[in-house]
Amino acid sequence: MGSARIAVIGTGYVGLTTGACLASLGHQVICVDVDETKVARLAAGQVDILEPGLEELVSRGLAAGRLSFVVGSRAAVADAEAVFLCVPTPMGAGGAADLRAVEAVIDEIAGCLPAGCAVITKSTVPVGTAQRIRAMLGRTDVPVVANPEFLREGTAVSDFLHPDRIVVGADEEPAARWVADLYADLDAPNVVTDAASAELVKYAANCFLAMKLSYVNAVAELCERLGADIESVTEGMGYDRRIGRSFLKPGPGWGGSCLPKDTHALVQVAESVGFDFSLLSSAIQENIAQRDRIVAKIAGAVGGSLAGARVGVLGLAFKAGTNDLRDSPALSVTAMLSAHGAEVTAYDPAIGGELPGMRIVDDPYQVAKGADAIVVLTEWDEFRRLDWSYIADLMQGDSVVDTRNLLDPQVVLSAGLTWLGLGRPRARVLAQ
């Protein structure tokens, strides 16, 4: 199809990536936000989100005249052919998705939309939201389409432009196919379906990944108790094409802006129709238990009690390559350490400023000064390249708790330190 006139409401990770990428595909895109300062910065090409390739894409869109930023939705949608809703849908009371931001936008634009303009939910929304929006609009001349995003922070631009699939759902098939055609230049299979199915695809996919992560964390714990090696176990699993290699690395628990809220939301959706989704509920509980296990491992590394222990933390973002702290497992672990009386000093290459319960420094070696233990909580590659002999000289203790199995154990051990990973028996590591 040719160029379409598109309004994107919201300029967070999803909205800004969506707007910039759609502009790169040749569409005319207006991105909308309520924050005047943020809009002014974006209009000047200044992107505060740490996302590879995004700032360059925004700059190119601005220079080409295909991308612009405004405050307020009404004028932006006045002549739009498509409106993408990319506003936050955080976890609300009881775990259900909070749709107040979506509802506020619909209230604002309902009377301004041109006939035939498609309203498209890009935000993750519960099954039935398309019908709810249709009822709120009170219009039969405006199709409502579900088009969930599958963007990973740190690779969002690449994920948008090289997707595994494009999912579009609407109760009017022509509207769904028109939205699918917006992505015609991308080489990806299209799943065109009804709105409810499209809405459920996103939850089903994210919750499956969360359960896979909880499973591998539980298997890592089992490896430690049985003397097996999680790296060998997951290597053997990963060759099975039915399982695959992704999401098979143990860690301090899953977090971020999607998995925690999506898992709770799907449990709530299931309960609303009388289904006890105990499998998913167990994965959520296992994720909580994983953080308890990590804290217990750290306590053991400093002699059993965290009271007064000095713990140096490497990594705070929920994922390397991002500056996102939302539901970061690293923050959960550091909060628990602080609650148990530990003195926490932390470093993250993308995080500065102040955070409760810890001292943040701007040099990774500063976390080692007088530390009883060093804990790796985010998988930043630069931590592999640290001078661990120098760190050993700075430390008071000798324990390195690597919750990501990121470091080369032999490098740490040769520095005279003790390396403790997840699911990797000490005897096996020493024998390497």
Side-chain angles (χ1 to χ4, degrees):
M1 68 181 299
S3 173
R5 299 184 304 277
I6 297 172
V8 176
I9 314 297
T11 60
Y13 267 99
V14 174
L16 188 57
T17 302
T18 297
C21 288
L22 285 172
S24 77
L25 296 178
H27 301 297
Q28 197 71 33
V29 181
I30 299 177
C31 291
V32 180
D33 205 285
V34 296
D35 186 331
E36 294 184 10
T37 301
K38 185 178 184 181
V39 166
R41 288 180 59 79
L42 288 170
Q46 298 172 356
V47 176
D48 296 326
I49 297 171
L50 180 59
E51 190 64 48
L54 183 56
E55 187 167 4
E56 293 81 0
L57 211 58
V58 168
S59 296
R60 289 204 298 269
L62 290 168
R66 290 194 298 269
L67 182 64
S68 59
F69 298 90
V70 299
V71 177
S73 302
R74 290 178 178 270
V77 306
D79 67 345
E81 296 172 274
V83 175
F84 282 83
L85 305 181
C86 300
V87 295
T89 54
M91 191 188 309
D98 185 342
L99 295 180
R100 284 180 294 179
V102 173
E103 293 168 350
V105 171
I106 297 302
D107 282 342
E108 183 178 359
I109 67 174
C112 307
L113 294 168
C117 175
V119 174
I120 305 160
T121 54
K122 203 67 165 165
S123 306
T124 303
V125 293
V127 177
T129 300
Q131 290 184 350
R132 186 172 176 179
I133 290 174
R134 185 194 303 279
M136 290 184 64
L137 287 170
R139 296 178 57 171
T140 59
D141 60 343
V142 174
V144 180
V145 182
N147 175 216
E149 52 85 16
F150 300 97
L151 308 178
R152 298 167 295 169
E153 291 187 36
T155 58
V157 171
S158 176
D159 289 343
F160 190 104
L161 297 176
H162 306 282
D164 292 329
R165 75 291 203 193
I166 295 167
V167 177
V168 184
D171 294 335
E172 307 91 350
E173 185 176 344
R177 295 204 175 277
W178 183 86
V179 172
D181 284 344
L182 295 174
Y183 304 95
D185 289 341
L186 302 182
D187 183 19
N190 286 350
V191 179
V192 178
T193 183
D194 59 278
S197 296
E199 290 166 341
L200 186 55
V201 166
K202 176 60 184 289
Y203 280 111
N206 273 0
C207 291
F208 180 84
L209 296 176
M211 289 190 290
K212 193 174 181 182
L213 286 171
S214 284
Y215 178 77
V216 78
N217 281 335
V219 172
E221 176 67 14
L222 195 58
C223 284
E224 292 187 18
R225 300 189 183 199
L226 296 176
D229 189 333
I230 189 64
E231 292 202 352
S232 296
V233 172
T234 54
E235 181 184 9
M237 293 170 62
Y239 282 116
D240 189 326
R241 287 173 293 179
R242 298 168 301 173
I243 297 173
R245 296 182 180 277
S246 64
F247 283 72
L248 282 183
K249 288 188 69 67
W254 39 266
S257 62
C258 293
L259 297 190
K261 72 181 183 68
D262 290 355
T263 49
H264 283 87
L266 189 55
V267 168
Q268 289 294 312
V269 168
E271 289 180 355
S272 72
V273 292
F275 176 64
D276 179 12
F277 206 154
S278 56
L279 181 63
L280 183 55
S281 297
S282 295
I284 295 171
Q285 293 306 311
E286 173 62 30
N287 194 50
I288 296 170
Q290 180 67 0
R291 297 173 189 187
D292 292 332
R293 289 194 289 263
I294 294 297
V295 172
K297 184 183 286 287
I298 298 168
V302 299
S305 174
L306 288 164
R310 294 182 176 181
V311 179
V313 167
L314 293 174
L316 294 172
F318 97 95
K319 179 182 180 182
T322 80
N323 57 356
D324 196 345
L325 293 172
R326 288 176 291 178
D327 277 302
S328 171
L331 291 189
S332 296
V333 170
T334 54
M336 294 169 71
L337 293 174
S338 180
H340 282 86
E343 298 176 19
V344 179
T345 302
Y347 166 80
D348 188 291
I351 306 296
E354 298 181 359
L355 289 172
M358 73 186 78
R359 180 171 70 98
I360 297 181
V361 294
D362 59 6
D363 182 333
Y365 294 106
Q366 291 183 48
V367 307
K369 291 182 178 179
D372 296 301
I374 299 291
V375 184
V376 178
L377 289 173
T378 308
E379 69 281 18
W380 289 97
D381 193 59
E382 72 173 67
F383 297 155
R384 302 177 193 265
R385 300 188 294 273
L386 294 176
D387 184 339
W388 287 95
S389 293
Y390 179 48
I391 287 175
D393 292 339
L394 294 172
M395 291 180 66
Q396 177 174 282
D398 66 355
S399 296
V400 177
V401 181
D402 185 357
T403 73
R404 298 285 186 171
N405 289 351
L406 175 74
L407 309 175
D408 182 339
Q410 298 308 315
V411 170
V412 177
L413 292 169
S414 65
L417 297 169
T418 300
W419 182 86
L420 300 169
L422 299 189
R424 304 218 57 207
R426 180 175 172 79
R428 187 72 61 85
V429 170
L430 290 171
Q432 286 183 340

